[in-house]
Amino acid sequence: MSEPEVDLDAEKYEKHREAGQILAQVRDEAADRLEVGMGYLEISEWAEDRIRELGGTPAFPVNVSVDEEAAHGAAGPGDERTVGEEMVKLDIGVHIDGWLADTAVTVDFSGTPELVEAAEEALDAALETVEPGVETGTIGAAIEEVIDGYGYNPVVNLTGHGLGHWEQHVPPNIPNRAVQQGTTLEVGDVVAIEPFATDGSGKVSEGQQEEIYSLEREASVRDRNARKALEQITEEFQTLPFATRWLDVSRPNMALRRLKSQNIVHGYPVLKEDDGKLVSQKEHTIIVTEDGCEVTTASE
């Protein structure tokens, strides 16, 4: 039997597109707004509020990852850190009724424009390879070739990913290097492709900082404050990542420690290259179409 045709005008795809349009606008405005001396909390709350203003909901906390940090840097409650002459990655997500878009841009104050260009061109090359039937390893090879050509390394233990309903990371993974065994993309797949380029080794490891969490499982909790936090998590965020600072409870860090100790939530530590190295990132969300792909997070 042949596969049924995918209706790319279905409601879920329209919601993916709406999320992408809002996100593209917020990403571009946030990148224009960002400057040296601006607080992590200020740019994060501005972007999250702007998403809501435009009719979307943040799909995860704004990631502000600098220099050797590749991902999961985020502002904590009352965070006083400010952006310096650094390489800043803004990774932002939007959902409409749980249908997602995910994008990232690098704003460089470090004076290393070629590293930013490497990630941007790698994403362009990746998008050109996308069509029904393409292997994800072929996309990874296109990314790796561009970044290698700049004399840098792709970050090989971070990947792009599929976007599900209320799920930020689902199969298939989109590697940032050539791999032998990949997955074949099909019409209707919604994926985020996100090359990372670095002047480091090309492998990230977990740092100490952890400000982003998501629900692992539901369970009964004795502590009243932790129970209140869990109610908010299950109702408001479901399985999507959330920030400590989003919790409307007293002592949110304590509540999260209790939930984490019972394996009810898990954290996302900052992922970083070696100290003194730099990482750039560029990410778009796409829908695979009959003749290529539609970039839902493209600028207007």
Side-chain angles (χ1 to χ4, degrees), residues 8 14 19 53 68 70 113 120 124 152 175 185 189 246 255 262:
L8 294 178
E14 290 303 332
E53 256 174 51
E68 73 273 9
E120 290 174 348
D124 289 342
Y152 298 120
L185 294 187
D189 284 348
W246 287 1
Q262 290 182 242

Side-chain angles (χ1 to χ4, degrees), residues 199-300:
D199 58 359
S201 66
K203 283 205 170 171
V204 292
S205 55
E206 293 184 353
Q208 295 299 310
Q209 188 104 12
E210 193 174 77
E211 289 293 346
I212 304 173
Y213 297 85
S214 69
L215 182 67
E216 187 75 37
R217 65 187 183 94
E218 293 189 49
S220 58
V221 181
R222 289 177 62 183
D223 179 76
R224 192 171 65 178
N225 202 42
R227 192 163 64 239
K228 190 179 171 194
L230 181 58
E231 284 169 7
Q232 182 187 356
I233 292 162
T234 53
E235 283 174 27
E236 201 174 319
F237 315 130
Q238 300 195 32
T239 49
L240 292 175
F242 61 90
T244 310
R245 60 188 167 80
W246 287 1
L247 294 178
D248 302 323
V249 297
S250 59
R251 306 189 308 283
N253 286 316
M254 180 72 77
L256 282 169
R257 270 203 294 278
R258 288 183 187 276
L259 294 174
K260 201 175 167 189
S261 71
Q262 290 182 242
N263 297 318
I264 293 169
V265 301
H266 69 269
Y268 297 86
V270 172
L271 299 174
K272 52 196 290 192
E273 253 286 357
D274 296 332
D275 288 350
K277 300 302 181 182
L278 296 174
V279 179
S280 66
Q281 176 194 17
K282 187 71 188 283
E283 178 181 22
H284 273 314
T285 296
I286 64 164
I287 300 170
V288 180
T289 60
E290 296 283 357
D291 56 357
C293 68
E294 174 187 348
V295 182
T296 65
T297 50
S299 301
E300 286 283 301

Side-chain angles (χ1 to χ4, degrees), residues 44-65:
S44 300
E45 289 186 336
W46 181 87
E48 289 160 7
D49 287 344
R50 187 78 176 114
I51 288 167
R52 297 182 189 101
E53 256 174 51
L54 294 171
T57 305
F60 53 84
V62 170
N63 286 207
V64 183
S65 307

Side-chain angles (χ1 to χ4, degrees), residues 136-159:
T136 52
T138 303
I139 302 171
I143 290 170
E144 184 174 32
E145 184 179 359
V146 170
I147 294 173
D148 281 355
Y150 272 87
Y152 298 120
N153 290 315
V155 175
V156 296
N157 58 341
L158 289 176
T159 65

